[in-house]
Coordinates of all heavy atoms in Angstrom, one line a residue:
M979 N 166.6 66.2 104.7 CA 167.2 67.2 105.5 C 167.9 68.2 104.5 O 168.8 67.7 103.7 CB 168.1 66.6 106.5 CG 168.8 67.6 107.4 SD 169.6 66.7 108.7 CE 170.6 68.0 109.3
P980 N 167.7 69.5 104.6 CA 168.4 70.4 103.7 C 169.9 70.4 103.9 O 170.3 70.2 105.0 CB 167.8 71.8 104.1 CG 166.5 71.5 104.8 CD 166.7 70.1 105.4
L981 N 170.6 70.7 102.9 CA 172.1 70.7 103.0 C 172.6 71.9 102.3 O 172.0 72.4 101.3 CB 172.7 69.5 102.5 CG 172.4 69.0 101.1 CD1 173.7 68.9 100.3 CD2 171.8 67.6 101.3
T982 N 173.7 72.5 102.8 CA 174.4 73.6 102.2 C 175.8 73.1 101.8 O 176.5 72.5 102.6 CB 174.5 74.8 103.1 OG1 173.1 75.1 103.5 CG2 175.1 76.0 102.5
L983 N 176.2 73.4 100.6 CA 177.5 73.0 100.1 C 178.3 74.2 99.7 O 177.8 75.2 99.2 CB 177.3 72.2 98.8 CG 176.4 70.9 99.0 CD1 176.2 70.3 97.6 CD2 177.1 69.9 99.9
C984 N 179.6 74.2 100.0 CA 180.6 75.1 99.6 C 181.4 74.4 98.5 O 182.1 73.4 98.9 CB 181.5 75.7 100.7 SG 182.7 76.9 100.2
V985 N 181.4 74.9 97.3 CA 182.1 74.2 96.2 C 183.3 75.1 95.8 O 183.1 76.3 95.4 CB 181.1 74.0 95.0 CG1 181.8 73.3 93.9 CG2 179.9 73.2 95.4
L986 N 184.5 74.6 95.8 CA 185.7 75.3 95.4 C 186.1 74.6 94.1 O 186.3 73.4 94.0 CB 186.7 75.2 96.5 CG 186.4 75.8 97.8 CD1 185.8 74.8 98.7 CD2 187.6 76.4 98.5
L987 N 186.4 75.5 93.1 CA 186.8 75.0 91.8 C 188.1 75.6 91.4 O 188.3 76.8 91.4 CB 185.8 75.3 90.8 CG 184.4 74.7 91.0 CD1 183.3 75.5 90.4 CD2 184.4 73.3 90.4
W988 N 189.1 74.8 90.9 CA 190.3 75.3 90.4 C 190.3 75.0 88.9 O 189.9 73.9 88.5 CB 191.5 74.5 91.0 CG 191.8 74.9 92.4 CD1 192.8 75.8 92.8 CD2 191.2 74.5 93.6 NE1 192.8 76.0 94.2 CE2 191.8 75.1 94.7 CE3 190.1 73.6 93.9 CZ2 191.4 74.9 96.0 CZ3 189.8 73.4 95.2 CH2 190.4 74.0 96.2
A989 N 190.7 76.0 88.1 CA 190.7 75.9 86.6 C 192.0 75.2 86.1 O 193.1 75.4 86.7 CB 190.5 77.2 86.0
V990 N 191.9 74.5 85.1 CA 193.1 74.1 84.3 C 193.7 75.4 83.9 O 193.1 76.4 83.6 CB 192.7 73.3 83.1 CG1 193.8 73.1 82.1 CG2 192.1 71.9 83.6
D991 N 195.1 75.5 83.8 CA 195.8 76.7 83.4 C 195.2 77.3 82.1 O 195.0 76.6 81.1 CB 197.3 76.4 83.2 CG 198.0 76.2 84.5 OD1 197.5 76.6 85.5 OD2 199.1 75.6 84.4
G992 N 194.9 78.6 82.2 CA 194.4 79.3 81.0 C 192.9 79.0 80.7 O 192.4 79.5 79.7
Q993 N 192.2 78.3 81.6 CA 190.8 77.9 81.4 C 189.8 78.6 82.3 O 188.7 78.0 82.5 CB 190.7 76.4 81.4 CG 191.5 75.7 80.3 CD 191.1 76.1 78.9 OE1 189.9 75.9 78.6 NE2 192.0 76.6 78.1
V994 N 190.1 79.7 82.9 CA 189.2 80.3 83.9 C 187.9 80.7 83.2 O 186.8 80.4 83.7 CB 189.8 81.5 84.6 CG1 188.8 82.2 85.5 CG2 191.0 81.0 85.5
D995 N 187.9 81.4 82.1 CA 186.7 81.8 81.4 C 185.9 80.6 80.9 O 184.7 80.6 81.1 CB 187.0 82.8 80.3 CG 187.5 84.1 80.8 OD1 187.1 84.5 82.0 OD2 188.2 84.9 80.1
P996 N 186.5 79.6 80.3 CA 185.7 78.4 79.9 C 185.1 77.7 81.2 O 184.0 77.2 81.1 CB 186.7 77.5 79.2 CG 187.7 78.5 78.6 CD 187.8 79.5 79.7
L997 N 185.8 77.7 82.3 CA 185.3 77.1 83.5 C 184.0 77.9 83.9 O 183.0 77.3 84.3 CB 186.3 77.2 84.7 CG 185.8 76.6 86.0 CD1 187.0 75.9 86.7 CD2 185.3 77.7 86.9
T998 N 184.1 79.2 83.8 CA 182.9 80.0 84.2 C 181.7 79.7 83.3 O 180.6 79.6 83.8 CB 183.3 81.5 84.1 OG1 184.3 81.8 85.1 CG2 182.1 82.4 84.4
R999 N 182.0 79.6 82.0 CA 180.9 79.2 81.0 C 180.3 77.8 81.3 O 179.1 77.6 81.3 CB 181.4 79.3 79.6 CG 181.6 80.8 79.2 CD 181.9 80.9 77.7 NE 183.1 80.2 77.2 CZ 184.3 80.7 77.2 NH1 184.5 82.0 77.7 NH2 185.3 80.1 76.8
Y1000 N 181.2 76.9 81.7 CA 180.7 75.5 82.0 C 179.8 75.6 83.3 O 178.8 75.1 83.3 CB 181.9 74.6 82.3 CG 181.5 73.4 83.0 CD1 180.9 72.3 82.4 CD2 181.8 73.2 84.4 CE1 180.5 71.1 83.1 CE2 181.4 72.1 85.1 CZ 180.8 71.1 84.4 OH 180.4 69.9 85.1
E1001 N 180.3 76.3 84.3 CA 179.5 76.5 85.5 C 178.2 77.2 85.3 O 177.2 76.9 85.9 CB 180.3 77.2 86.6 CG 181.5 76.3 87.1 CD 181.0 75.0 87.8 OE1 180.0 75.0 88.5 OE2 181.7 74.0 87.6
D1002 N 178.2 78.2 84.4 CA 176.9 78.8 84.0 C 175.9 77.8 83.6 O 174.7 77.8 84.0 CB 177.1 79.8 82.9 CG 177.9 81.1 83.2 OD1 178.0 81.4 84.5 OD2 178.3 81.8 82.3
E1003 N 176.3 76.9 82.8 CA 175.4 75.8 82.2 C 175.0 74.9 83.3 O 173.8 74.6 83.4 CB 176.1 75.1 81.1 CG 176.3 75.9 79.8 CD 176.7 75.0 78.6 OE1 176.0 74.1 78.3 OE2 177.7 75.3 78.1
V1004 N 175.9 74.3 84.1 CA 175.5 73.3 85.0 C 174.8 73.9 86.2 O 173.8 73.2 86.8 CB 176.7 72.4 85.5 CG1 177.2 71.6 84.3 CG2 177.8 73.1 86.2
L1005 N 175.1 75.1 86.6 CA 174.4 75.7 87.8 C 173.0 76.1 87.4 O 172.1 76.1 88.3 CB 175.2 76.9 88.3 CG 176.5 76.6 89.0 CD1 177.2 77.9 89.4 CD2 176.3 75.7 90.2
A1006 N 172.7 76.3 86.1 CA 171.3 76.5 85.7 C 170.4 75.3 86.0 O 169.2 75.5 86.0 CB 171.3 76.9 84.2
L1007 N 171.0 74.1 86.2 CA 170.2 72.9 86.5 C 169.9 72.8 88.0 O 169.0 72.0 88.3 CB 171.0 71.7 86.0 CG 171.4 71.6 84.5 CD1 172.3 70.5 84.3 CD2 170.1 71.5 83.7
V1008 N 170.6 73.5 88.8 CA 170.3 73.4 90.3 C 168.9 73.6 90.6 O 168.3 72.8 91.4 CB 171.3 74.3 91.1 CG1 170.9 74.4 92.5 CG2 172.7 73.8 90.9
P1009 N 168.2 74.7 90.2 CA 166.8 74.9 90.5 C 165.9 73.8 90.0 O 164.8 73.5 90.7 CB 166.4 76.2 89.9 CG 167.8 76.9 89.6 CD 168.8 75.8 89.4
V1010 N 166.2 73.1 89.0 CA 165.4 72.0 88.4 C 165.3 70.9 89.5 O 164.3 70.2 89.6 CB 166.1 71.5 87.1 CG1 165.4 70.2 86.7 CG2 166.1 72.5 86.1
H1011 N 166.3 70.8 90.4 CA 166.3 69.8 91.4 C 166.0 70.4 92.8 O 166.3 69.8 93.8 CB 167.7 69.1 91.4 CG 168.0 68.5 90.1 ND1 167.4 67.3 89.7 CD2 168.7 68.9 89.0 CE1 167.8 66.9 88.5 NE2 168.5 67.9 88.1
G1012 N 165.4 71.6 92.8 CA 164.9 72.1 94.1 C 165.9 72.9 94.8 O 165.7 73.4 95.9
G1013 N 167.1 73.1 94.3 CA 168.2 73.8 95.0 C 168.3 75.3 94.5 O 167.5 75.7 93.6
R1014 N 169.2 75.9 95.1 CA 169.5 77.3 94.7 C 171.0 77.6 95.0 O 171.6 77.2 95.9 CB 168.6 78.3 95.3 CG 168.8 78.6 96.7 CD 167.7 79.6 97.2 NE 168.0 80.0 98.6 CZ 168.5 81.2 99.0 NH1 168.6 82.2 98.1 NH2 168.8 81.4 100.2
V1015 N 171.5 78.5 94.1 CA 172.9 79.0 94.2 C 172.8 80.3 95.0 O 172.2 81.2 94.6 CB 173.6 79.2 92.9 CG1 175.0 79.8 93.1 CG2 173.6 77.9 92.1
T1016 N 173.3 80.3 96.3 CA 173.1 81.5 97.1 C 174.3 82.4 96.9 O 174.1 83.6 97.2 CB 173.0 81.1 98.6 OG1 174.2 80.4 99.0 CG2 171.8 80.2 98.8
S1017 N 175.4 81.9 96.5 CA 176.6 82.8 96.3 C 177.5 82.2 95.3 O 177.7 80.9 95.2 CB 177.3 83.0 97.6 OG 178.5 83.8 97.5
R1018 N 178.1 83.0 94.4 CA 179.1 82.6 93.4 C 180.1 83.7 93.2 O 179.7 84.8 92.8 CB 178.3 82.2 92.1 CG 179.2 81.7 91.1 CD 178.4 81.3 89.8 NE 179.3 80.8 88.8 CZ 179.0 80.7 87.5 NH1 177.8 81.1 87.1 NH2 179.9 80.3 86.7
V1019 N 181.3 83.4 93.5 CA 182.4 84.4 93.4 C 183.6 83.9 92.7 O 183.8 82.7 92.7 CB 182.8 85.0 94.8 CG1 181.6 85.8 95.4 CG2 183.3 83.9 95.7
R1020 N 184.4 84.8 92.1 CA 185.6 84.4 91.4 C 186.8 85.0 92.2 O 186.7 86.1 92.7 CB 185.7 84.9 90.0 CG 184.8 84.2 89.0 CD 184.8 84.8 87.7 NE 186.1 84.5 87.0 CZ 186.3 84.8 85.7 NH1 185.3 85.3 85.0 NH2 187.4 84.5 85.1
S1021 N 187.9 84.3 92.1 CA 189.1 84.9 92.7 C 189.6 86.1 91.9 O 189.4 86.1 90.6 CB 190.3 83.9 92.7 OG 190.0 82.8 93.6
V1022 N 190.2 87.1 92.5 CA 190.8 88.2 91.8 C 192.0 87.8 91.1 O 192.9 87.2 91.7 CB 191.1 89.4 92.8 CG1 191.7 90.5 92.1 CG2 189.8 89.8 93.5
P1023 N 192.1 88.0 89.8 CA 193.3 87.5 89.0 C 194.6 88.1 89.6 O 194.6 89.3 89.9 CB 193.0 88.0 87.6 CG 191.5 88.2 87.5 CD 191.1 88.6 88.9
G1024 N 195.6 87.3 89.7 CA 196.9 87.7 90.2 C 197.0 87.8 91.7 O 198.1 88.0 92.2
E1025 N 196.0 87.6 92.5 CA 196.1 87.7 93.9 C 196.8 86.6 94.5 O 197.7 86.7 95.3 CB 194.7 87.8 94.5 CG 194.0 89.2 94.4 CD 194.7 90.3 95.3 OE1 194.9 90.0 96.5 OE2 195.0 91.3 94.8
D1026 N 196.3 85.3 94.3 CA 196.9 84.1 94.8 C 196.7 83.0 93.8 O 195.6 82.5 93.7 CB 196.2 83.8 96.2 CG 196.7 82.5 96.8 OD1 197.6 81.9 96.2 OD2 196.3 82.2 97.9
P1027 N 197.8 82.6 93.1 CA 197.6 81.6 92.1 C 197.2 80.3 92.6 O 196.7 79.4 91.8 CB 199.0 81.6 91.5 CG 199.9 82.3 92.4 CD 199.1 83.2 93.3
A1028 N 197.4 80.0 93.9 CA 197.0 78.7 94.5 C 195.5 78.7 94.9 O 194.9 77.6 95.2 CB 197.8 78.4 95.7
A1029 N 194.8 79.9 94.9 CA 193.4 79.9 95.3 C 192.5 79.3 94.2 O 192.9 79.3 93.0 CB 193.1 81.4 95.5
P1030 N 191.3 78.9 94.7 CA 190.4 78.4 93.7 C 190.0 79.5 92.8 O 189.9 80.7 93.2 CB 189.2 77.9 94.5 CG 189.4 78.4 95.9 CD 190.8 78.8 96.0
A1031 N 189.6 79.2 91.5 CA 189.2 80.2 90.6 C 187.8 80.6 90.9 O 187.4 81.8 90.6 CB 189.2 79.6 89.1
E1032 N 187.0 79.7 91.4 CA 185.6 80.1 91.7 C 185.1 79.4 93.0 O 185.6 78.2 93.3 CB 184.7 79.6 90.6 CG 183.2 80.0 90.7 CD 182.4 79.9 89.4 OE1 182.9 80.3 88.4 OE2 181.3 79.4 89.5
V1033 N 184.3 80.0 93.8 CA 183.7 79.5 95.0 C 182.2 79.7 94.9 O 181.7 80.8 94.6 CB 184.3 80.1 96.3 CG1 183.6 79.6 97.5 CG2 185.8 79.9 96.3
Q1034 N 181.4 78.6 95.2 CA 180.0 78.7 95.2 C 179.4 78.2 96.5 O 180.0 77.3 97.1 CB 179.4 77.8 94.1 CG 180.1 78.0 92.7 CD 179.9 76.8 91.8 OE1 179.4 75.8 92.2 NE2 180.4 77.0 90.6
V1035 N 178.3 78.7 96.9 CA 177.5 78.2 98.0 C 176.2 77.8 97.4 O 175.5 78.6 96.8 CB 177.3 79.2 99.2 CG1 176.4 78.6 100.3 CG2 178.7 79.6 99.7
I1036 N 175.8 76.5 97.6 CA 174.6 75.9 97.0 C 173.8 75.3 98.1 O 174.3 74.5 98.9 CB 175.0 74.9 95.9 CG1 175.9 75.5 94.8 CG2 173.8 74.2 95.3 CD1 176.4 74.5 93.8
E1037 N 172.5 75.5 98.1 CA 171.6 74.9 99.0 C 170.8 73.8 98.2 O 170.3 74.2 97.1 CB 170.6 75.9 99.6 CG 171.3 76.9 100.5 CD 170.4 77.9 101.1 OE1 169.3 78.1 100.6 OE2 170.9 78.6 102.0
M1038 N 170.7 72.7 98.7 CA 169.8 71.6 98.1 C 168.9 71.1 99.2 O 169.2 71.1 100.4 CB 170.7 70.4 97.6 CG 171.7 70.8 96.5 SD 170.9 71.4 95.0 CE 170.4 69.8 94.3
P1039 N 167.7 70.6 98.8 CA 166.7 70.2 99.8 C 167.1 69.0 100.5 O 166.8 68.8 101.7 CB 165.4 69.9 99.0 CG 165.8 70.1 97.5 CD 167.1 70.7 97.4
D1040 N 167.9 68.1 99.9 CA 168.3 66.8 100.6 C 169.3 66.1 99.7 O 169.6 66.6 98.6 CB 167.1 65.9 100.9 CG 166.2 65.7 99.7 OD1 166.8 65.6 98.5 OD2 165.0 65.5 99.8
D1041 N 169.8 65.0 100.2 CA 170.8 64.2 99.5 C 170.3 63.7 98.2 O 171.0 63.5 97.2 CB 171.4 63.1 100.4 CG 172.3 63.6 101.5 OD1 173.2 64.3 101.1 OD2 172.1 63.2 102.6
A1042 N 169.0 63.3 98.2 CA 168.4 62.8 97.0 C 168.4 63.8 95.9 O 168.7 63.5 94.7 CB 167.0 62.2 97.2
A1043 N 168.1 65.1 96.2 CA 168.1 66.1 95.2 C 169.5 66.4 94.7 O 169.7 66.6 93.5 CB 167.5 67.4 95.8
L1044 N 170.5 66.3 95.6 CA 171.9 66.5 95.2 C 172.3 65.3 94.2 O 172.9 65.6 93.2 CB 172.8 66.5 96.4 CG 174.3 66.6 96.1 CD1 174.7 67.8 95.3 CD2 175.1 66.5 97.4
A1045 N 171.9 64.1 94.6 CA 172.3 63.0 93.7 C 171.6 63.1 92.4 O 172.2 62.8 91.3 CB 171.9 61.7 94.4
A1046 N 170.4 63.6 92.3 CA 169.7 63.8 91.1 C 170.3 64.9 90.2 O 170.5 64.7 89.0 CB 168.2 64.1 91.3
Y1047 N 170.8 65.9 90.9 CA 171.5 67.0 90.1 C 172.8 66.4 89.6 O 173.1 66.7 88.4 CB 171.8 68.2 91.1 CG 172.8 69.1 90.6 CD1 172.5 69.9 89.5 CD2 174.1 69.2 91.1 CE1 173.5 70.8 89.0 CE2 175.0 70.0 90.6 CZ 174.8 70.8 89.5 OH 175.7 71.7 89.0
M1048 N 173.6 65.7 90.4 CA 174.8 65.2 89.9 C 174.7 64.2 88.7 O 175.5 64.1 87.9 CB 175.6 64.5 91.1 CG 175.9 65.4 92.2 SD 177.0 66.8 91.8 CE 178.6 65.9 91.7
A1049 N 173.5 63.5 88.7 CA 173.3 62.5 87.7 C 172.4 63.1 86.5 O 172.1 62.3 85.6 CB 172.6 61.3 88.3
D1050 N 172.1 64.4 86.6 CA 171.2 64.9 85.6 C 171.9 64.7 84.2 O 173.1 65.0 84.0 CB 171.1 66.5 85.8 CG 170.1 67.1 84.9 OD1 170.3 67.1 83.7 OD2 169.1 67.7 85.4
P1051 N 171.1 64.2 83.2 CA 171.7 63.9 81.9 C 172.3 65.1 81.2 O 173.3 65.0 80.5 CB 170.5 63.3 81.1 CG 169.6 62.8 82.1 CD 169.7 63.7 83.3
A1052 N 171.7 66.3 81.4 CA 172.3 67.5 80.8 C 173.7 67.8 81.4 O 174.6 68.2 80.7 CB 171.4 68.7 80.9
R1053 N 173.8 67.6 82.7 CA 175.1 67.8 83.4 C 176.1 66.7 83.0 O 177.3 67.1 82.7 CB 174.9 67.8 84.9 CG 176.1 68.1 85.7 CD 175.8 68.1 87.2 NE 177.0 68.4 87.9 CZ 178.0 67.6 88.2 NH1 177.9 66.3 87.7 NH2 179.1 67.9 88.8
V1054 N 175.7 65.5 83.0 CA 176.6 64.4 82.6 C 177.1 64.6 81.2 O 178.2 64.3 80.8 CB 175.9 63.0 82.8 CG1 176.7 61.9 82.2 CG2 175.6 62.8 84.3
A1055 N 176.2 65.1 80.3 CA 176.6 65.3 78.9 C 177.8 66.3 78.7 O 178.4 66.3 77.7 CB 175.4 65.8 78.1
L1056 N 178.0 67.1 79.7 CA 179.1 68.1 79.7 C 180.3 67.6 80.4 O 181.3 68.4 80.6 CB 178.6 69.4 80.3 CG 177.5 70.1 79.6 CD1 176.9 71.2 80.4 CD2 178.0 70.7 78.3
A1057 N 180.4 66.4 80.7 CA 181.6 65.8 81.4 C 182.9 66.1 80.7 O 183.9 66.4 81.3 CB 181.4 64.4 81.7
D1058 N 182.9 66.0 79.3 CA 184.1 66.2 78.6 C 184.6 67.7 78.7 O 185.7 67.9 78.8 CB 183.9 65.8 77.1 CG 182.9 66.6 76.4 OD1 181.8 66.9 77.0 OD2 183.0 66.9 75.2
V1059 N 183.6 68.6 78.7 CA 184.0 70.0 78.9 C 184.6 70.2 80.3 O 185.6 70.8 80.4 CB 182.7 70.9 78.7 CG1 183.1 72.3 79.0 CG2 182.1 70.7 77.3
R1060 N 183.9 69.6 81.3 CA 184.4 69.7 82.7 C 185.8 69.2 82.8 O 186.7 69.9 83.4 CB 183.5 68.9 83.6 CG 183.9 69.1 85.0 CD 183.2 68.1 86.0 NE 183.4 68.4 87.3 CZ 184.6 68.3 88.0 NH1 185.7 67.8 87.3 NH2 184.8 68.6 89.2
D1061 N 186.1 68.1 82.2 CA 187.4 67.5 82.2 C 188.5 68.4 81.6 O 189.6 68.4 82.0 CB 187.4 66.1 81.6 CG 186.7 65.1 82.3 OD1 186.3 65.3 83.5 OD2 186.4 64.0 81.8
R1062 N 188.1 69.2 80.6 CA 189.0 70.1 79.9 C 189.3 71.4 80.7 O 190.4 72.0 80.5 CB 188.5 70.5 78.5 CG 188.7 69.4 77.5 CD 188.5 69.9 76.1 NE 187.3 70.6 75.9 CZ 186.1 70.1 75.5 NH1 186.0 68.8 75.3 NH2 185.0 70.8 75.3
V1063 N 188.4 71.8 81.5 CA 188.5 73.1 82.1 C 188.6 73.1 83.7 O 189.1 74.1 84.2 CB 187.3 74.1 81.7 CG1 187.3 74.2 80.2 CG2 186.0 73.6 82.3
V1064 N 188.2 72.1 84.3 CA 188.3 72.0 85.8 C 189.4 71.1 86.2 O 189.4 69.9 85.9 CB 186.9 71.5 86.4 CG1 187.1 71.4 87.9 CG2 185.8 72.4 86.0
A1065 N 190.4 71.7 86.9 CA 191.6 70.9 87.3 C 191.2 70.1 88.6 O 191.7 69.0 88.8 CB 192.8 71.8 87.5
R1066 N 190.4 70.8 89.5 CA 190.2 70.2 90.8 C 188.9 70.8 91.4 O 188.6 72.0 91.1 CB 191.3 70.6 91.8 CG 191.1 70.1 93.2 CD 192.4 70.4 94.0 NE 192.0 70.4 95.4 CZ 192.5 71.1 96.4 NH1 193.5 72.0 96.0 NH2 192.2 71.0 97.6
T1067 N 188.1 70.0 92.1 CA 186.9 70.4 92.7 C 187.0 69.9 94.2 O 187.3 68.8 94.4 CB 185.6 69.8 92.1 OG1 185.6 70.2 90.7 CG2 184.4 70.3 92.7
Q1068 N 186.6 70.8 95.1 CA 186.4 70.4 96.5 C 185.0 70.8 96.9 O 184.7 71.9 96.8 CB 187.5 71.0 97.4 CG 187.4 70.5 98.8 CD 188.6 71.0 99.6 OE1 189.5 71.7 99.1 NE2 188.6 70.7 100.9
I1069 N 184.3 69.8 97.5 CA 182.9 70.1 98.0 C 182.9 69.9 99.5 O 183.2 68.8 99.9 CB 181.9 69.2 97.3 CG1 182.0 69.5 95.7 CG2 180.5 69.5 97.8 CD1 181.1 68.5 94.9
L1070 N 182.5 70.9 100.2 CA 182.4 70.9 101.6 C 180.9 71.0 102.1 O 180.3 72.0 101.6 CB 183.2 72.0 102.3 CG 184.7 72.1 101.9 CD1 185.2 73.4 102.4 CD2 185.4 70.9 102.4
R1071 N 180.4 70.2 102.9 CA 179.2 70.4 103.6 C 179.4 71.4 104.7 O 180.3 71.3 105.5 CB 178.6 69.1 104.1 CG 178.1 68.2 103.0 CD 177.4 67.0 103.6 NE 177.1 66.1 102.5 CZ 175.9 65.6 102.3 NH1 174.9 65.9 103.1 NH2 175.6 64.8 101.3
V1072 N 178.6 72.5 104.6 CA 178.8 73.6 105.6 C 177.5 73.9 106.2 O 176.4 73.5 105.8 CB 179.4 74.8 104.9 CG1 180.8 74.6 104.4 CG2 178.5 75.4 103.8
E1073 N 177.5 74.7 107.3 CA 176.3 75.2 107.9 C 176.5 76.7 108.3 O 177.6 77.1 108.5 CB 176.0 74.4 109.2 CG 177.0 74.3 110.2 CD 176.8 73.4 111.3 OE1 176.0 72.4 111.1 OE2 177.3 73.5 112.4
P1074 N 175.4 77.4 108.3 CA 175.5 78.8 108.6 C 176.0 79.1 110.1 O 175.7 78.2 110.9 CB 174.0 79.3 108.5 CG 173.3 78.3 107.7 CD 174.0 77.0 108.0
V1075 N 176.6 80.1 110.3 CA 177.1 80.5 111.6 C 176.3 81.7 112.0 O 176.2 82.7 111.4 CB 178.6 80.9 111.5 CG1 179.1 81.4 112.9 CG2 179.4 79.8 111.0
A1076 N 175.6 81.6 113.2 CA 174.8 82.6 113.7 C 175.7 83.8 114.2 O 176.8 83.5 114.7 CB 173.9 82.1 114.9
G1077 N 175.3 85.0 114.0 CA 176.2 86.0 114.5 C 175.6 87.3 114.2 O 175.5 88.3 114.3

């Protein structure tokens, strides 16, 4: 069953640009697992310091594809980078709202 995720990412202080570079690398792996990034936005600097640095909407074909993406060796190899630049991640399963 297809799933849609809203991913909220908070950067370690002073690490917004490195977080973006890290996400560039790992999000490039999403299509390898049949998914796609439908939206990716950054917070406006200085607007709200408590806001996430980046918000993404990602579609995956199913839970197995998501699990394969999360366990992808290229993604796992970047775990040390992630630990240096990402302070917090929140992943929400969401669904489109008709309107």
Side-chain angles (χ1 to χ4, degrees):
M979 180 170 165
L981 55 120
T982 303
L983 305 170
C984 180
V985 181
L986 297 93
L987 298 153
W988 286 262
V990 169
D991 286 342
Q993 299 296 305
V994 173
D995 289 336
L997 178 144
T998 298
R999 289 190 296 275
Y1000 164 79
E1001 290 298 321
D1002 289 343
E1003 289 191 57
V1004 297
L1005 291 175
L1007 301 170
V1008 169
V1010 173
H1011 300 283
R1014 74 183 185 108
V1015 178
T1016 63
S1017 179
R1018 184 177 177 199
V1019 296
R1020 284 176 76 168
S1021 294
V1022 175
E1025 283 290 310
D1026 180 357
E1032 184 166 316
V1033 177
Q1034 307 158 355
V1035 177
I1036 300 172
E1037 294 176 347
M1038 296 299 280
D1040 52 34
D1041 285 311
L1044 176 60
Y1047 165 70
M1048 298 298 284
D1050 187 300
R1053 185 178 179 283
V1054 172
L1056 294 169
D1058 62 322
V1059 176
R1060 183 190 190 293
D1061 291 345
R1062 285 195 307 270
V1063 301
V1064 179
R1066 177 178 162 213
T1067 303
Q1068 184 173 0
I1069 301 173
L1070 306 169
R1071 288 183 184 234
V1072 296
E1073 56 188 24
V1075 177

